[in-house]
Amino acid sequence: MLKILLDRKEPSREEVRKHQNFNEILAALNYQQKVLNPWRYWYYPLLTVCLLLLV
Amino acid sequence: MPLQFSFQQQSFLPEEERTQIERAQQDPRFFAPLYERYHDAIFRYVYRRVEEEEQAYDITSSVFVKALQAIHKYEYRGLPFSAWLFRIAKSELYQSFRDQKAQRTVSIENVVLKQVIEDWTEDYSEQDKAKLLRALKGLKDQQLQLVEMRFFEKRSFKEIGEICGLTENNAKVKTFRAVLKLKEYFHQKE
C-alpha cells in the first residue's frame, strides 16, 4: 500500500553526515566479506588435516 | 521550493572521477571521495521513498556496501557514475519493499502538488488535492516512479533515463504516458 507524505522535513546534510560515515560502510564491507568467505568454515579443519598429514 | 536532486550532467566521466574509480577498484579504501560526493544524493533518493528515517539510513548503507562489492566490475559505458549508484539504490529499495522491510512512500511538497493542479484545473481546491493524491495511488509503480522523479524531484529526462535504464526519448515518452494516466484518474468521477 502506497503512503503519501506531504511537506516532510528532510534531515540536513550535516545531520546525514553525522549519522553515517565511510568507515562504517568499510567495516560493514569487511564483515560481510568475512562472513561470506567460503573458506571460513574449512580453514582450521583443513589446516589441522594438513598438519596431521605432514606429521 | 522543491529540493533539487540532480547532479550536474556530464556526457563523459571526468578525469578526476575516473582516477578515483580506478583507485577504488584496486582498494576499497579509496572509494571515500566517491562516497562523500554521492552519499547525500543517494540518501535523499531513498529517504523520499521510505517511511522511516532509520530504514533510509540502512538502505543507503547497503547501497554503498553493494557498490563496494561490485566496484571491480564497474565499466564506464557512457553513463555517469551516479547513474550506476542510483540503479543499485533502486534495486535495494525494491528489495526492501519485496521483503516488507520498508513501506513504499512518496514524499511530496504541497507547493508542487498545487502547481500540478493549477496546470490542470482553473483553480486549486482541497478537493482537487485529495483527488490528485487518490489518482497517484492508482498509478502502476513504474508510472509512479517516472512522475515522482520528473515532477516531485525535478530530474531531467536524461537522468531519469539513466536511473531507469531507458533512453532519454523513451523516458520522455513513458513519463508523458504516465502523466496522461494520472490526468485520466484525476478527472475520473468517484
Side-chain angles (χ1 to χ4, degrees):
Chain A
M1 184 66 186
L2 178 71
K3 192 162 186 172
I4 298 176
L5 298 176
L6 294 174
D7 282 345
R8 185 184 189 190
K9 189 186 168 287
E10 293 204 6
S12 68
R13 206 183 163 93
E14 284 66 39
E15 280 174 284
V16 176
R17 280 170 76 100
K18 259 186 223 162
H19 207 284
Q20 232 167 20
N21 65 59
F22 183 64
N23 288 334
E24 285 172 24
I25 305 289
L26 213 54
L29 175 79
N30 290 335
Y31 175 74
Q32 280 211 359
Q33 278 176 345
K34 218 186 255 180
V35 169
L36 296 174
N37 180 5
W39 286 103
R40 195 166 71 106
Y41 302 104
W42 293 100
Y43 183 75
Y44 289 107
L46 275 176
L47 192 71
T48 318
V49 170
C50 288
L51 283 173
L52 281 171
L53 283 173
L54 273 174
V55 172
Chain B
M1 170 92 182
L3 280 161
Q4 296 276 324
F5 286 85
S6 304
F7 295 108
Q8 206 179 357
Q9 292 293 300
Q10 278 151 329
S11 56
F12 61 92
L13 209 56
E15 196 52 45
E16 189 198 358
E17 191 161 284
R18 195 186 295 253
T19 316
Q20 285 166 350
I21 294 168
E22 281 167 5
R23 291 184 76 193
Q25 285 174 326
Q26 306 295 325
D27 185 338
R29 283 173 300 175
F30 292 118
F31 193 87
L34 295 163
Y35 172 89
E36 293 300 328
R37 190 171 310 139
Y38 297 117
H39 178 267
D40 195 65
I42 296 291
F43 170 77
R44 282 170 210 285
Y45 173 83
V46 175
Y47 179 80
R48 297 204 123 207
R49 288 161 176 81
V50 296
E51 193 183 4
E52 303 287 333
E53 192 174 329
E54 277 310 311
Q55 286 168 345
Y57 282 114
D58 288 348
I59 296 169
T60 308
S61 158
S62 59
V63 170
F64 282 97
V65 171
K66 285 268 159 69
L68 278 167
Q69 282 170 339
I71 187 83
H72 65 280
K73 287 190 252 172
Y74 174 81
E75 272 176 54
Y76 176 61
R77 288 183 187 147
L79 292 177
F81 185 67
S82 58
W84 186 70
L85 288 175
F86 275 114
R87 284 189 192 183
I88 299 177
K90 194 174 154 218
S91 131
E92 283 300 298
L93 256 175
Y94 280 85
Q95 189 58 52
S96 354
F97 297 146
R98 276 194 295 274
D99 298 345
Q100 296 183 329
K101 283 183 191 160
Q103 156 82 48
R104 174 70 167 108
T105 305
V106 179
S107 309
I108 316 170
E109 289 183 36
N110 262 314
V111 183
V112 181
L113 214 59
K114 200 174 167 194
Q115 276 169 3
V116 174
I117 294 169
E118 279 172 350
D119 279 349
W120 293 353
T121 58
E122 278 159 21
D123 54 348
Y124 170 84
S125 70
E126 282 300 312
Q127 206 182 351
D128 287 335
K129 187 173 133 183
K131 263 166 71 183
L132 182 58
L133 294 178
R134 207 167 36 242
L136 277 169
K137 288 184 177 175
L139 288 181
K140 285 186 183 150
D141 198 67
Q142 201 202 15
Q143 294 170 329
L144 180 67
Q145 278 180 52
L146 295 166
V147 169
E148 197 177 16
M149 284 193 269
R150 181 66 187 161
F151 296 98
F152 308 148
E153 296 177 351
K154 309 280 180 206
R155 291 182 196 271
S156 68
F157 287 115
K158 189 171 182 281
E159 202 181 356
I160 295 173
E162 285 164 0
I163 296 172
C164 296
L166 304 167
T167 61
E168 190 177 345
N169 271 338
N170 210 346
K172 240 180 233 177
V173 172
K174 287 197 173 198
T175 310
F176 179 71
R177 284 192 196 137
V179 173
L180 280 185
K181 204 78 203 160
L182 185 64
K183 259 188 191 176
E184 189 191 312
Y185 291 147
F186 177 77
H187 291 294
Q188 239 170 30
K189 293 222 164 83
E190 279 172 62

